[in-house]
Amino acid sequence: MTATAPAPLPIMPDQHGHFGPYGGMFVPETLMAALNELTDEYERAKRDPLFQAELHRLLREYVGRETPLYFAERWTEKLGGARIYLKREDLLHTGAHKINNALGQIMLAQRLGKTRIIAETGAGQHGVATATVAARAGLECVIYMGKVDMERQALNVARMRFLGAEVRAVTAGQATLKEAVNEAMRDWVTHVRHTHYILGTAYGAHPYPMMVRDFHRVIGLEARRQILEREERLPDLLIACVGGGSNAIGLFHPFLNDANVRMVGVEAGGDGIIPERHAARFQGGRLGVLQGAKTWLLADDDGQIQLTHSVSAGLDYAAVGPEHAWLHDLGRAEYSYATDSEALEAFQSLSRTEGIIPALESSHALAHAMKVAPQMSKDQIIIVNVSGRGDKDVAQAARMIFQEDLKF
Ligand SMILES: *Cc1c(COP(=O)(O)O)cnc(C)c1O
């Protein structure tokens, strides 16, 4: 096994953002100029040492990087197999990995001279991360959120408002994330000259999947260096949950050339793989186009997007980021799922054994670790990405676990 520095960006999309047959730029003509402008500015910023230095200073001083790689000794003993390390993205400012990307994108928006920021949000974590960096930058900020999600995530709605953002309720359709993305795209088309759209995951039209991935690569770069320092070898297995796919691709990407490192993305299995009761795109999904990208998604025989379900709002989306679709087909990454009840069990197990309350999204990755660690040998190593902390999920988890209705 090689223990040298990772090769730079081993898998790049083509000029129009294709990862193999996936990705691309499926947007209205009016957005093409903005996407091309963003792509060009991103390429310049990536090579600009001043931009990179400022980004890294803020990641360190404001966001709280680097995050620890923590050896979960008691959880390892309890599961009785592979040694489990946790990458602690839950310790970041605002409580999840999303701020890595929100910070990078707002710095780009400032370079482009944009004065207004918009974003979509499901559970509210990306909305909070965006409102946070917008407050710091002194830019106007509008967050689109489904009305149903606003009711479920009242705490995050209040946080966004404290941070000075306007939260706009979206009532169309299911009134959740997909409709919020549609509304954000409509706003962007109308106000594109002075507005930047901070998309929250490794999804959408080029350059978003590549750019969002690059802003999260810091997760994998740190983890790779940290495990080499601690164990003097690379891990056997990486595990991360996959909504749009940003925390997973951020962890996986710097290990893609390390042939002996397996990687598993864990999707939301909901109530089990029954149509409309899960969000596991690689279980029963098909090829289609949604909100800017060609990828694996959940649709019916007429190509209509299906309803999805997951206990965790951050994983509850009908399509998966195009680079994951490509890694799946290449066989470089594998994709599994955890059900709602498996995720809840992992949520409690980690909380009680390690004193770490994980986000329900991250609990899907932890649930997979609970399944595979006992079958691995004691000298093998797993890294699980704990993408966020569970504070936002406390009321929901209390309802499900204690049948208690907490009022916050
Ligand atoms: C949003 C979110 C996710 C899912 O998004 P990805 O882009 O797939 O990473 C996972 N974990 C947490 C804590 C989130 O907030």
Side-chain angles (χ1 to χ4, degrees):
M1 203 178 292
T2 53
T4 51
L9 304 179
I11 293 184
M12 290 298 284
D14 74 9
Q15 189 194 343
H16 300 291
H18 294 103
F19 295 91
Y22 305 110
M25 304 173 91
F26 293 86
V27 294
E29 194 57 35
T30 40
L31 285 183
M32 284 305 288
L35 289 170
N36 288 331
E37 177 191 45
L38 182 60
T39 308
D40 292 347
E41 195 60 41
Y42 175 62
E43 291 301 334
R44 276 194 290 274
K46 198 160 76 176
R47 286 190 299 269
D48 179 351
L50 288 178
F51 179 88
Q52 292 300 331
E54 180 67 355
L55 176 62
H56 285 100
R57 182 184 74 81
L58 289 171
L59 284 174
R60 196 173 57 245
E61 296 176 4
Y62 186 68
V63 172
R65 301 211 74 91
E66 64 180 38
T67 59
L69 183 71
Y70 166 69
F71 175 47
E73 193 172 353
R74 290 233 309 141
W75 211 47
T76 293
E77 259 172 45
K78 184 172 170 183
L79 296 176
R83 297 164 66 75
I84 303 175
Y85 283 84
L86 306 177
K87 182 60 175 161
R88 299 290 311 276
E89 295 296 293
D90 59 308
L91 293 177
L92 291 179
H93 184 38
T94 69
H97 68 291
K98 289 206 170 68
I99 195 157
N100 298 323
N101 166 54
L103 175 67
Q105 282 201 47
I106 205 154
M107 288 176 61
L108 273 179
Q110 289 178 298
R111 276 176 76 106
L112 286 164
K114 307 283 180 182
T115 55
R116 181 172 175 267
I117 297 297
I118 59 170
E120 84 297 336
T121 197
Q125 284 303 106
H126 176 57
V128 169
T130 299
T132 297
V133 295
R136 191 190 159 275
L139 298 184
E140 181 189 346
C141 180
V142 174
I143 306 290
Y144 288 93
M145 189 168 186
K147 194 165 182 301
V148 170
D149 287 336
M150 283 180 72
E151 284 156 15
R152 287 194 291 208
Q153 302 288 339
L155 180 74
N156 275 342
V157 174
R159 290 169 83 194
M160 288 182 261
R161 289 182 171 150
F162 290 142
L163 292 161
E166 178 193 342
V167 185
R168 287 195 190 158
V170 179
T171 54
Q174 247 188 299
T176 59
L177 179 60
K178 176 161 62 71
E179 292 79 17
V181 176
N182 285 338
E183 241 13 81
M185 287 182 75
R186 203 163 297 152
D187 179 315
W188 202 31
V189 169
T190 316
H191 302 108
V192 64
R193 288 183 98 174
H194 65 293
T195 297
H196 176 67
Y197 177 15
I198 300 190
L199 209 151
T201 187
Y203 194 75
H206 183 65
Y208 285 103
M210 171 186 77
M211 182 174 72
V212 175
R213 173 199 74 193
D214 290 352
F215 286 134
H216 285 301
R217 276 184 99 238
V218 63
I219 303 171
L221 289 171
E222 285 177 6
R224 197 176 186 285
R225 182 167 36 73
Q226 289 167 318
I227 199 72
L228 287 173
E229 273 168 24
R230 175 75 196 252
E231 293 273 359
E232 295 180 349
R233 71 179 192 86
L234 290 173
D236 299 280
L237 177 62
L238 307 174
I239 305 176
C241 65
V242 181
S246 69
N247 87 88
I249 201 69
L251 176 67
F252 293 175
H253 205 260
F255 292 91
L256 286 177
N257 283 342
D258 300 312
N260 295 324
V261 179
R262 281 181 56 212
M263 33 194 89
V264 175
V266 186
E267 298 183 288
D271 297 329
I273 306 305
I274 307 157
E276 307 193 347
R277 297 308 306 159
H278 70 95
R281 291 66 46 107
F282 292 116
Q283 313 288 328
R286 59 178 68 206
L287 186 63
V289 171
L290 180 65
Q291 296 175 330
K294 185 190 279 186
T295 186
W296 282 61
L297 45 75
L298 293 166
D300 66 18
D301 290 339
D302 298 324
Q304 293 297 312
I305 301 303
Q306 282 179 325
L307 299 181
T308 52
H309 162 79
S310 169
V311 68
S312 106
L315 303 184
D316 196 354
Y317 185 64
V320 67
E323 190 164 7
H324 286 289
W326 182 223
L327 293 175
H328 171 271
D329 288 11
L330 292 173
R332 181 62 191 94
E334 299 152 61
Y335 295 84
S336 181
Y337 64 90
T339 63
D340 287 357
S341 54
E342 288 167 340
L344 275 173
E345 199 186 314
F347 175 89
Q348 294 180 86
S349 178
L350 193 77
S351 298
R352 290 180 183 191
T353 315
E354 293 290 349
I356 296 170
I357 302 178
L360 286 174
E361 289 84 3
S362 322
S363 299
H364 287 70
L366 295 160
H368 189 75
M370 287 177 75
K371 288 180 210 170
V372 299
Q375 291 151 25
M376 294 169 67
S377 74
K378 291 188 175 180
D379 56 6
Q380 289 186 296
I381 298 170
I382 300 176
I383 297 178
V384 185
N385 200 20
V386 183
S387 52
R389 55 177 173 250
D391 303 26
K392 70 184 172 60
D393 301 316
V394 162
Q396 191 188 355
R399 246 187 327 270
M400 289 179 298
I401 296 168
F402 310 132
Q403 281 79 48
E404 241 172 54
D405 216 356
L406 300 184
K407 295 266 178 281
F408 288 111

